Amino acid sequence: MKAWKLREMLVVSPVQKAARRLKFDPELTIIRGKNDTGKSSLIKTIFNTFGARPAKLSDQWKKLNVTSLIRFSIGPKEYCILRAGDLFGIFDDEARPLHRAASVGELSPYLAQLFDFKLKLPDRITGKPIVPPPAFYFLPFYIDQDAGWTATWSSFANLQQFPGAKKDLAEYHVGIFPNEYYQRKAAKAEVQQQLEEPRVKERVLRGLQADIEQRTKEMTVELDVKEFKLVIDRLLKRAESLKQREDEYRTAIVELRNRLDEVSAQRAIVERTRDELRLDYNYANAAPDEVQCPTCGAGYSNHISERFEFAKDEQQCIELLAELANKTVKLEREIATAQERLTQSTAELREVEDLLAAKKGEVTLGQLIESEGRKGFRKALEADVSIVQRQIGELEATVRGHDEEMKKFASKERRQSIVNDYRHRMEHHFAWLNVNSSDSTLLKRIDAKANETGSDLPRSILAYTMSIWGVMSKYGSSEAFAPMAIDAINQQEQDDQNLVKMLTLIRDHRPPGTQLIMGVVDTKDVEFPGTEVRMTKKYSALLASEFQSVNDELSPYLDALIASPRF
C-alpha cells in the first residue's frame, strides 16, 4: 500500500485579508481549541480542496471566499492541489501544472486515477457507470462534526447522486472485491447499455414483420399516391424547419464567440493591470519610507499603508481574473453545446435531403416501394433483423466474457475472511467503548446503518469507523490509503470515562503508517504523539499576520490556474 500523506495546507481569504499555513505531521496532527476557534472549518477545508464538499459549511466561512492549496504525497511522488472557487488545479512538486478542472465532475477522473480508485457507479439519471466524485473515495476516512456522528458514512454533501450505493462502496473499500473486479463490472455495465439500442431495434423490426404478414393475409396492398405525396410534403417542411434551426444555432455560436472575445480582451486588460500593480508594489517595497520626486525634489510618503493599497488592488485583479476564467470556461461549454446541436441538426437535415433526393424525374417514393413489392420489403426486413441479431450476439458474448472474468476475482473465502475480521474488530471495539452490541445492526452487515441511540450512537460510529479502517488497511482495494480525520469527538455529552476510552481507542488502534488529523477541545490527559496546533482566538481560523506571505506563495499557482482555460 502506498503512503498517502498531507504535507501542508495554505488557506487565504482576500475578503478578510487573512490566511493560515497549517503543516501536517506525517502520523498525527491534533488541532486543539475551544468552540468557535475554527478547528472544524480548517478540517472541512482539507476535503473541500479535493472537491469533497462537507455536509455543512458555516455561512461565515463561505463569506470568506477562501482559496486553498494542499501539498501532499502518494508514495514517492509529491503533488499539490489548488482550489479557487469552482476552479481546481493539480501541480507536481516543481509547481508544473498537471491538470485543470472547472468543476468537480472534471476533477473526479483525474483524482480517481491518482488515488487508484477504480470503482464506478451507475448514474441516477442515465444509468451509465461513471467515476463518482471524490467524496465517495474519502467517505470512510472522515467523521465530520456536523453530520458524521449521526450516521455512518454521512460526512459529505450530495451523496444522493448514487442512491443505494453504500453496499458497493463498502465492499470496494474493505476489499471484498479487488480493483480488477470493479473495472470488469463497469465494462460489463457499459456493454449492457450498448445492448439496449439493438434490442429495441429488434423488437421494432419483429413487430413490422408480424404486421406485414398479417396485412398480407387480410388484403392485397394497394398504393396510395396521395399518401406518398403527403409524406414528401412533410419531408420538405421538416427540411425547412431544420434549415431554420441551423441558422439559429450558427447565430448563437457567433454571439457566444463574440462574448468570449470580449471576456478574453477583459482578461488581457486585467492581466496587464495586475502586472503593472505588481511592479509598482515591488518598486515601492524596495524604496525607502520617503521618496523624492526626481523632477521637483518634493518628498512623498512611502508608508506601509500606501504599499498595502498596491497589494490590495493586485489581489482584486487576481479575484477578477479568476471570475473571468470561470466565465471563459462556461462560454466555451455553451459554444461546444451549441456546436454539437448544430452538428446533430445538420446530420438530420442531410438525412431528410437524402430521402428527398430519392425522387428523380417521375419516380416517386410510392413508386419505388411499389417496384420493390412486398417480397422485396420482407427481404429487407429479414436482412435488418439478421444484422441486429448479430450485433446483439456479439455484445452478449462480451457480457458473458466480463462475467467469467469477474468470477475469477470473486472469492467466497476472501469475503468470509474480511467479514470475520470486521466482526472481530467490531466486537472488540464495542466492548472497549461500553456499547451494548446485542441488537446492533453494525455487527451484521458491513454496509449497515447504525441503530444505536443517545450517547451510544457516537461510540458505535467510532467503533465502526475504526473497524473499517483496520480492515481497509489489511484488505482494501485501493493502493492509496487516504489521510483520516476525526472532528469533535465529544458528542452527545459523553462522560469522562467513555470519552477517555474513545480517545485511547483512536490513539492505540489507528492503522500503522497511516495519517490522522483530529480536532478536539480537550484530550482528557490522554497523551498523543505527533504535532499539536493550538487555536486560541474565537472566529480567527485565519490570521492577518500570515496573509502577505501565504498570498505571495499562492499567487504563482493561482496565476497558472487562471492564465488559460486549459493547462
Short mmCIF file of all heavy atoms in Angstrom, two decimals, residues 14-44:
data_model
loop_
_atom_site.label_atom_id
_atom_site.label_comp_id
_atom_site.label_asym_id
_atom_site.label_seq_id
_atom_site.Cartn_x
_atom_site.Cartn_y
_atom_site.Cartn_z
N PRO A 14 -9.12 36.66 0.55
CA PRO A 14 -8.95 38.04 0.07
C PRO A 14 -9.97 38.98 0.72
O PRO A 14 -9.76 40.19 0.74
CB PRO A 14 -9.17 37.91 -1.44
CG PRO A 14 -9.99 36.68 -1.60
CD PRO A 14 -9.59 35.75 -0.50
N VAL A 15 -11.07 38.42 1.20
CA VAL A 15 -12.10 39.25 1.83
C VAL A 15 -11.64 39.72 3.20
O VAL A 15 -11.71 40.90 3.53
CB VAL A 15 -13.42 38.45 1.97
CG1 VAL A 15 -14.47 39.27 2.72
CG2 VAL A 15 -13.94 38.04 0.61
N GLN A 16 -11.13 38.79 4.00
CA GLN A 16 -10.70 39.10 5.37
C GLN A 16 -9.27 39.61 5.41
O GLN A 16 -8.81 40.12 6.44
CB GLN A 16 -10.84 37.86 6.24
CG GLN A 16 -10.78 38.11 7.74
CD GLN A 16 -10.89 36.83 8.52
OE1 GLN A 16 -10.29 35.81 8.20
NE2 GLN A 16 -11.70 36.86 9.58
N LYS A 17 -8.54 39.46 4.31
CA LYS A 17 -7.11 39.77 4.28
C LYS A 17 -6.38 39.02 5.39
O LYS A 17 -5.61 39.58 6.18
CB LYS A 17 -6.88 41.29 4.42
CG LYS A 17 -7.41 42.10 3.26
CD LYS A 17 -6.63 41.80 1.99
CE LYS A 17 -7.08 42.66 0.82
NZ LYS A 17 -8.41 42.35 0.33
N ALA A 18 -6.66 37.72 5.45
CA ALA A 18 -6.06 36.86 6.47
C ALA A 18 -5.79 35.50 5.85
O ALA A 18 -6.36 35.14 4.81
CB ALA A 18 -6.99 36.73 7.68
N ALA A 19 -4.91 34.73 6.48
CA ALA A 19 -4.51 33.44 5.92
C ALA A 19 -4.04 32.52 7.03
O ALA A 19 -3.90 32.92 8.19
CB ALA A 19 -3.41 33.64 4.87
N ARG A 20 -3.79 31.27 6.66
CA ARG A 20 -3.27 30.29 7.62
C ARG A 20 -2.41 29.28 6.87
O ARG A 20 -2.77 28.80 5.81
CB ARG A 20 -4.42 29.57 8.31
CG ARG A 20 -4.06 28.34 9.10
CD ARG A 20 -3.48 28.63 10.47
NE ARG A 20 -4.47 29.18 11.39
CZ ARG A 20 -4.27 29.30 12.70
NH1 ARG A 20 -3.12 28.92 13.24
NH2 ARG A 20 -5.20 29.83 13.48
N ARG A 21 -1.24 29.01 7.44
CA ARG A 21 -0.38 27.94 6.96
C ARG A 21 -0.45 26.82 8.00
O ARG A 21 -0.12 27.03 9.17
CB ARG A 21 1.05 28.42 6.79
CG ARG A 21 2.02 27.35 6.25
CD ARG A 21 3.46 27.83 6.34
NE ARG A 21 3.63 29.07 5.62
CZ ARG A 21 3.90 29.16 4.33
NH1 ARG A 21 4.04 28.05 3.62
NH2 ARG A 21 4.04 30.33 3.75
N LEU A 22 -0.88 25.64 7.58
CA LEU A 22 -1.04 24.53 8.50
C LEU A 22 -0.18 23.37 8.03
O LEU A 22 -0.41 22.80 6.96
CB LEU A 22 -2.52 24.10 8.56
CG LEU A 22 -2.89 22.98 9.53
CD1 LEU A 22 -2.58 23.37 10.96
CD2 LEU A 22 -4.37 22.62 9.38
N LYS A 23 0.85 23.04 8.82
CA LYS A 23 1.72 21.91 8.49
C LYS A 23 1.20 20.66 9.18
O LYS A 23 0.80 20.70 10.34
CB LYS A 23 3.16 22.22 8.92
CG LYS A 23 3.83 23.31 8.09
CD LYS A 23 5.28 23.48 8.49
CE LYS A 23 5.97 24.54 7.64
NZ LYS A 23 6.11 24.11 6.23
N PHE A 24 1.23 19.54 8.47
CA PHE A 24 0.71 18.29 8.99
C PHE A 24 1.85 17.35 9.39
O PHE A 24 2.82 17.18 8.65
CB PHE A 24 -0.17 17.59 7.95
CG PHE A 24 -1.36 18.38 7.55
CD1 PHE A 24 -1.40 19.04 6.32
CD2 PHE A 24 -2.47 18.48 8.38
CE1 PHE A 24 -2.51 19.77 5.94
CE2 PHE A 24 -3.58 19.21 8.01
CZ PHE A 24 -3.61 19.86 6.78
N ASP A 25 1.69 16.75 10.55
CA ASP A 25 2.61 15.70 10.97
C ASP A 25 2.34 14.46 10.11
O ASP A 25 1.18 14.16 9.81
CB ASP A 25 2.38 15.39 12.45
CG ASP A 25 3.41 14.42 13.00
OD1 ASP A 25 3.21 13.19 12.87
OD2 ASP A 25 4.41 14.89 13.57
N PRO A 26 3.36 13.70 9.73
CA PRO A 26 3.12 12.53 8.87
C PRO A 26 2.30 11.44 9.56
O PRO A 26 1.75 10.56 8.88
CB PRO A 26 4.53 12.04 8.54
CG PRO A 26 5.43 12.66 9.55
CD PRO A 26 4.80 13.95 9.93
N GLU A 27 2.21 11.48 10.90
CA GLU A 27 1.45 10.47 11.62
C GLU A 27 0.17 11.03 12.23
O GLU A 27 -0.92 10.54 11.96
CB GLU A 27 2.32 9.84 12.73
CG GLU A 27 3.59 9.17 12.22
CD GLU A 27 3.29 7.98 11.32
OE1 GLU A 27 2.29 7.29 11.56
OE2 GLU A 27 4.08 7.74 10.39
N LEU A 28 0.28 12.06 13.05
CA LEU A 28 -0.88 12.55 13.78
C LEU A 28 -0.76 14.06 14.01
O LEU A 28 0.24 14.55 14.52
CB LEU A 28 -1.00 11.84 15.14
CG LEU A 28 -2.12 12.32 16.07
CD1 LEU A 28 -3.49 12.09 15.43
CD2 LEU A 28 -2.05 11.61 17.41
N THR A 29 -1.80 14.78 13.61
CA THR A 29 -1.90 16.22 13.86
C THR A 29 -3.16 16.48 14.66
O THR A 29 -4.26 16.15 14.21
CB THR A 29 -1.95 17.02 12.54
OG1 THR A 29 -0.79 16.72 11.76
CG2 THR A 29 -2.00 18.52 12.82
N ILE A 30 -3.00 17.06 15.84
CA ILE A 30 -4.15 17.42 16.67
C ILE A 30 -4.35 18.93 16.57
O ILE A 30 -3.43 19.72 16.82
CB ILE A 30 -3.94 17.02 18.14
CG1 ILE A 30 -3.92 15.50 18.26
CG2 ILE A 30 -5.03 17.60 19.03
CD1 ILE A 30 -3.70 14.99 19.66
N ILE A 31 -5.56 19.32 16.15
CA ILE A 31 -5.93 20.74 16.12
C ILE A 31 -6.80 20.98 17.35
O ILE A 31 -7.93 20.52 17.41
CB ILE A 31 -6.67 21.09 14.83
CG1 ILE A 31 -5.83 20.70 13.61
CG2 ILE A 31 -6.99 22.58 14.79
CD1 ILE A 31 -6.52 20.91 12.28
N ARG A 32 -6.23 21.67 18.33
CA ARG A 32 -6.90 21.83 19.61
C ARG A 32 -7.34 23.29 19.80
O ARG A 32 -6.59 24.23 19.49
CB ARG A 32 -5.97 21.44 20.75
CG ARG A 32 -6.61 21.50 22.14
CD ARG A 32 -5.57 21.64 23.23
NE ARG A 32 -4.76 20.45 23.39
CZ ARG A 32 -4.94 19.54 24.35
NH1 ARG A 32 -5.88 19.73 25.26
NH2 ARG A 32 -4.15 18.50 24.44
N GLY A 33 -8.54 23.45 20.32
CA GLY A 33 -9.04 24.80 20.60
C GLY A 33 -10.45 24.75 21.13
O GLY A 33 -11.16 23.75 20.96
N LYS A 34 -10.87 25.82 21.74
CA LYS A 34 -12.24 25.89 22.25
C LYS A 34 -13.22 26.04 21.09
O LYS A 34 -12.83 26.18 19.93
CB LYS A 34 -12.37 27.06 23.23
CG LYS A 34 -11.53 26.88 24.50
CD LYS A 34 -11.72 28.05 25.46
CE LYS A 34 -10.92 27.84 26.73
NZ LYS A 34 -11.09 28.96 27.69
N ASN A 35 -14.50 26.02 21.42
CA ASN A 35 -15.53 26.17 20.39
C ASN A 35 -15.37 27.49 19.65
O ASN A 35 -14.97 28.51 20.24
CB ASN A 35 -16.92 26.10 21.03
CG ASN A 35 -17.21 24.73 21.61
OD1 ASN A 35 -16.66 23.74 21.17
ND2 ASN A 35 -18.08 24.69 22.61
N ASP A 36 -15.69 27.49 18.36
CA ASP A 36 -15.70 28.69 17.51
C ASP A 36 -14.31 29.24 17.23
O ASP A 36 -14.17 30.40 16.84
CB ASP A 36 -16.57 29.80 18.12
CG ASP A 36 -18.02 29.38 18.27
OD1 ASP A 36 -18.51 28.68 17.37
OD2 ASP A 36 -18.64 29.74 19.29
N THR A 37 -13.26 28.44 17.41
CA THR A 37 -11.92 28.92 17.07
C THR A 37 -11.51 28.52 15.65
O THR A 37 -10.43 28.89 15.20
CB THR A 37 -10.87 28.39 18.07
OG1 THR A 37 -10.98 26.96 18.15
CG2 THR A 37 -11.10 29.00 19.46
N GLY A 38 -12.36 27.76 14.96
CA GLY A 38 -12.09 27.46 13.56
C GLY A 38 -11.50 26.10 13.27
O GLY A 38 -11.08 25.83 12.14
N LYS A 39 -11.46 25.21 14.27
CA LYS A 39 -10.88 23.86 14.05
C LYS A 39 -11.60 23.13 12.92
O LYS A 39 -10.99 22.62 11.98
CB LYS A 39 -10.99 23.02 15.33
CG LYS A 39 -10.41 23.63 16.57
CD LYS A 39 -10.53 22.71 17.76
CE LYS A 39 -11.98 22.34 18.10
NZ LYS A 39 -12.79 23.48 18.50
N SER A 40 -12.93 23.09 13.04
CA SER A 40 -13.72 22.33 12.07
C SER A 40 -13.62 22.93 10.67
O SER A 40 -13.57 22.20 9.67
CB SER A 40 -15.19 22.27 12.49
OG SER A 40 -15.32 21.58 13.72
N SER A 41 -13.60 24.25 10.58
CA SER A 41 -13.52 24.91 9.27
C SER A 41 -12.23 24.51 8.55
O SER A 41 -12.23 24.28 7.32
CB SER A 41 -13.60 26.43 9.42
OG SER A 41 -14.87 26.81 9.90
N LEU A 42 -11.12 24.42 9.29
CA LEU A 42 -9.86 24.03 8.66
C LEU A 42 -9.90 22.57 8.21
O LEU A 42 -9.45 22.23 7.11
CB LEU A 42 -8.71 24.25 9.64
CG LEU A 42 -8.34 25.70 9.93
CD1 LEU A 42 -7.22 25.78 10.96
CD2 LEU A 42 -7.92 26.44 8.66
N ILE A 43 -10.48 21.69 9.04
CA ILE A 43 -10.55 20.28 8.68
C ILE A 43 -11.48 20.10 7.46
O ILE A 43 -11.17 19.34 6.54
CB ILE A 43 -11.02 19.43 9.87
CG1 ILE A 43 -9.95 19.46 10.97
CG2 ILE A 43 -11.28 17.99 9.44
CD1 ILE A 43 -10.36 18.79 12.27
N LYS A 44 -12.61 20.79 7.47
CA LYS A 44 -13.52 20.71 6.32
C LYS A 44 -12.82 21.18 5.04
O LYS A 44 -13.05 20.65 3.95
CB LYS A 44 -14.76 21.57 6.58
CG LYS A 44 -15.71 21.03 7.65
CD LYS A 44 -16.81 22.06 7.94
CE LYS A 44 -17.67 21.69 9.14
NZ LYS A 44 -18.62 20.63 8.83
#
